[in-house]
């Protein structure tokens, strides 16, 4: 029901934008202001460009139906010194959980005027989540905003280290008792030094048309925020193995430079590739630590496992008793630690293919981003890729 409501809201936004472009609404001070703004944007879209390479479509409005496939790979790591924790044993244990979502499919709408617009997509398969996007693209500059949220519980966990000089390395898969909640915000801006002949907008929102092949050195800046929350009481055991951490927030900002090339092999077809290394000069990680009462139930937990291994209870009975036990877990916050990390190197890689004719166009593009983080006795990284396919009409 919520998904249907969100789609209705997106359709309503689109109809409102269309109503502003309708001749029937030509009267009124607000509409007049909008029209003057539109005229200004029209002139900006082709100001200073070489019309032999870049041109502006006659129809300024765009309605785009989008389909998006996304996958996120979250890897976390913590190191624990077990000396004094396990009686009579010395050594260290590394705990490395990895959560890779199944490829998720999103469907939504984007509506805009000459590259300035808003889009919203909802998940239709492969998980639960949504995307909110905003774009503002001119001749030589652009700004993108992407907000992504999802929950995941499938995890692969690797244990490795040594106890009393005996090395071990073991990996197993399973599920968190409660899903980890992930929220990411990504904002990036760019500037093309050869904006006269090479257009980013032609490749990524089709607000202008690239008529001939051209490339450009590109400069950019980005801001990234992520929040990983697995502090639910049922995850108390997982929190303990993460050095009592149940909440991780990361802020990152950086600048970079790279290259974009728009290849036009024939009329209507555009292939665009971009690679931009980014130096993250600001990197802050804040972790929240928790304590829990799960230690009060260790004997009961071991007793349930022992009875199952002896064949005294079935697997179903074992799982029911463990679930009932975990329901008694409680966690509470005990403090926060903040770490300002070192300068890091990230990468922003993109590839786009567009074909357009008359008022209609189709496009597919992909993007890959990598965001590492680190803090005392822990580190991790988030890899995010998505492929977007769309069909649009100009009005």
């Amino acid at each position: 029901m919520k998904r249907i409501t969100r789609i209705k809201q997106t359709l309503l936004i689109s109809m409102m934008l269309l109503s502003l472009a309708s001749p029937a609404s030509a009267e009124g001070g607000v509409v007049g202001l909008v029209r003057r703004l539109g005229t200004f944007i029209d002139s900006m879209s082709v100001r200073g460009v070489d019309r032999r390479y870049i041109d502006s479509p006659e129809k300024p409005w765009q309605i785009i139906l989008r389909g998006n496939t996304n996958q996120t790979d979250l890897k976390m790591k913590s190191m624990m010194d077990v000396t004094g924790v396990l009686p009579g044993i010395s050594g260290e244990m590394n705990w490395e959980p990895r959560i890779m979502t199944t490829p998720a499919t999103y469907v939504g709408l984007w509506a805009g005027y000459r590259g300035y617009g808003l889009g919203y997509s909802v998940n239709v398969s492969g998980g639960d989540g949504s995307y909110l996007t905003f774009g503002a693209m001119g001749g030589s500059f652009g700004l993108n905003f992407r907000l992504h949220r999802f929950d995941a519980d499938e995890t692969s966990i690797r244990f490795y280290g040594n106890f009393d000089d005996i090395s071990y390395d073991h990996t197993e898969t399973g599920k968190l008792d409660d899903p980890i909640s992930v929220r990411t915000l990504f904002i990036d801006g760019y500037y093309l030094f050869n904006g006269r002949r090479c257009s980013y907008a032609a490749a990524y929102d089709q607000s202008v048309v690239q008529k001939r092949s051209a490339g450009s050195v590109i400069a950019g800046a980005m801001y990234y925020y992520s929040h990983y929350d697995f502090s639910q009481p049922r995850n108390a055991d997982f929190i303990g193995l993460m050095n009592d951490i149940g909440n991780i927030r990361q802020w990152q900002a950086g600048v970079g430079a790279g290259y974009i090339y728009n290849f036009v092999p024939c009329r209507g077809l555009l292939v665009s590739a971009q690679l931009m290394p980014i130096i993250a000069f600001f990197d802050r990680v804040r972790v929240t630590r928790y304590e829990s009462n799960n230690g009060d139930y260790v004997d009961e937990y071991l007793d349930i496992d022992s009875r199952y291994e002896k064949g005294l209870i079935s697997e179903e009975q074992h799982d029911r008793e463990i679930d009932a036990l975990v329901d008694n877990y409680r966690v509470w916050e005990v403090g926060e630690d903040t770490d300002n990390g070192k300068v890091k190197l990230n990468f922003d890689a993109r590839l786009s293919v567009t074909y357009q004719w008359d008022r209609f166009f189709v496009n597919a593009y992909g993007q890959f981003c990598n965001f590492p983080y680190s803090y005392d006795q822990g580190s991790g990284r988030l890899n995010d890729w998505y492929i977007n396919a769309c069909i649009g009409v100009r009005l």
Side-chain angles (χ1 to χ4, degrees):
M1 194 69 183
K2 290 182 179 179
R3 185 173 295 158
I4 295 174
T5 302
R6 290 169 180 168
I7 293 174
K8 287 181 177 178
Q9 290 173 345
T10 307
L11 287 171
L12 179 59
I13 292 172
S14 301
M15 289 187 291
M16 290 172 63
L17 289 169
L18 285 173
S19 69
L20 292 175
S22 172
S25 59
E27 297 180 0
V30 175
V31 175
L33 176 62
V34 171
R35 283 183 174 276
R36 289 192 294 273
L37 179 60
T39 301
F40 174 75
I41 295 175
D42 289 344
S43 64
M44 286 290 293
S45 66
V46 293
R47 179 178 296 177
V49 304
D50 188 334
R51 300 296 286 269
R52 297 174 301 169
Y53 286 80
I54 301 171
D55 203 1
S56 181
E58 180 183 352
K59 305 291 185 181
W61 290 90
Q62 300 158 279
I63 301 295
I64 301 175
L65 176 64
R66 285 180 168 177
N68 177 293
T69 299
N70 165 275
Q71 187 175 37
T72 300
D73 180 8
L74 172 62
K75 188 176 182 180
M76 300 180 288
K77 178 182 177 180
S78 68
M79 188 275 289
M80 180 181 296
D81 185 355
V82 299
T83 304
V85 178
L86 300 177
I89 296 178
S90 62
E92 67 177 32
M93 177 181 69
N94 294 279
W95 165 264
E96 196 172 275
R98 183 177 183 181
I99 298 173
M100 180 180 291
T101 64
T102 56
T105 301
Y106 296 78
V107 173
L109 285 176
W110 189 93
Y113 185 93
R114 297 283 190 213
Y116 297 80
L118 183 69
Y120 188 76
S121 300
V122 295
N123 183 277
V124 294
S125 71
D128 178 29
S130 64
Y131 272 106
L132 176 65
T133 58
F134 170 76
M137 297 189 185
S140 300
F141 70 92
L143 178 67
N144 299 293
F145 169 100
R146 181 159 60 100
L147 179 64
H148 184 204
R149 66 168 189 86
F150 67 91
D151 299 328
D153 59 3
E154 299 282 350
T155 181
S156 170
I157 302 174
R158 179 188 176 202
F159 308 85
Y160 62 97
N162 64 82
F163 287 159
D164 290 337
D165 298 324
I166 300 175
S167 298
Y168 69 96
D169 195 330
H170 174 69
T171 300
E172 63 180 48
T173 59
K175 281 190 174 185
L176 294 176
D177 287 292
D178 271 329
I180 181 172
S181 173
V182 181
R183 305 291 183 266
T184 62
L185 169 64
F186 182 68
I187 303 174
D188 70 331
Y190 69 90
Y191 179 81
L192 270 67
F193 290 93
N194 187 24
R196 292 186 67 252
R197 295 182 175 181
C198 182
S199 171
Y200 184 96
Y204 293 99
D205 75 355
Q206 294 72 52
S207 58
V208 297
V209 178
Q210 184 84 40
K211 299 166 67 176
R212 293 184 181 182
S213 301
S216 176
V217 173
I218 183 172
M222 71 89 187
Y223 171 81
Y224 171 75
Y225 168 77
S226 62
H227 182 196
Y228 317 125
D229 184 5
F230 44 95
S231 61
Q232 299 84 355
R234 290 174 59 87
N235 290 334
D237 292 333
F238 185 84
I239 293 171
L241 289 169
M242 287 294 294
N243 276 316
D244 300 326
I245 291 170
N247 212 305
I248 303 173
R249 291 179 174 87
Q250 179 190 14
W251 296 264
Q252 197 172 102
V255 294
Y259 195 79
I260 181 174
Y261 188 76
N262 286 351
F263 176 54
V264 183
C266 61
R267 183 177 180 181
L269 179 61
L270 169 63
V271 180
S272 178
Q274 172 189 322
L275 177 63
M276 184 167 65
I278 298 175
I279 298 175
F281 60 85
F282 175 79
D283 181 48
R284 174 173 294 174
V285 176
R286 179 176 298 160
V287 298
T288 306
R289 300 187 182 275
Y290 295 82
E291 290 184 358
S292 75
N293 66 343
N294 62 330
D296 299 339
Y297 298 93
V298 172
D299 291 339
E300 295 178 50
Y301 198 108
L302 294 175
D303 177 65
I304 296 171
D305 278 350
S306 176
R307 287 189 288 124
Y308 171 66
E309 291 172 358
K310 293 176 181 178
L312 300 178
I313 58 175
S314 66
E315 182 177 354
E316 292 77 9
Q317 178 66 23
H318 170 272
D319 292 344
R320 283 198 299 269
E321 291 191 25
I322 290 294
D323 282 342
L325 189 66
V326 171
D327 283 337
N328 294 320
Y329 286 175
R330 299 291 180 268
V331 300
W332 54 92
E333 183 178 330
V334 295
E336 290 184 340
D337 295 322
T338 300
D339 185 82
N340 293 313
K342 300 178 181 179
V343 173
K344 292 181 173 63
L345 179 65
N346 293 342
F347 289 92
D348 184 359
R350 308 186 189 201
L351 179 66
S352 169
V353 179
T354 304
Y355 187 79
Q356 48 194 327
W357 63 99
D358 297 329
R359 295 167 54 192
F360 295 92
F361 56 87
V362 292
N363 169 263
Y365 70 86
Q367 180 178 7
F368 174 81
C369 296
N370 167 261
F371 298 100
Y373 68 87
S374 61
Y375 58 92
D376 182 35
Q377 293 187 316
S379 61
R381 58 105 180 101
L382 184 140
N383 289 339
D384 182 86
W385 66 261
Y386 70 92
I387 298 174
N388 185 84
C390 72
I391 181 169
V393 60
R394 297 187 178 97
L395 303 170

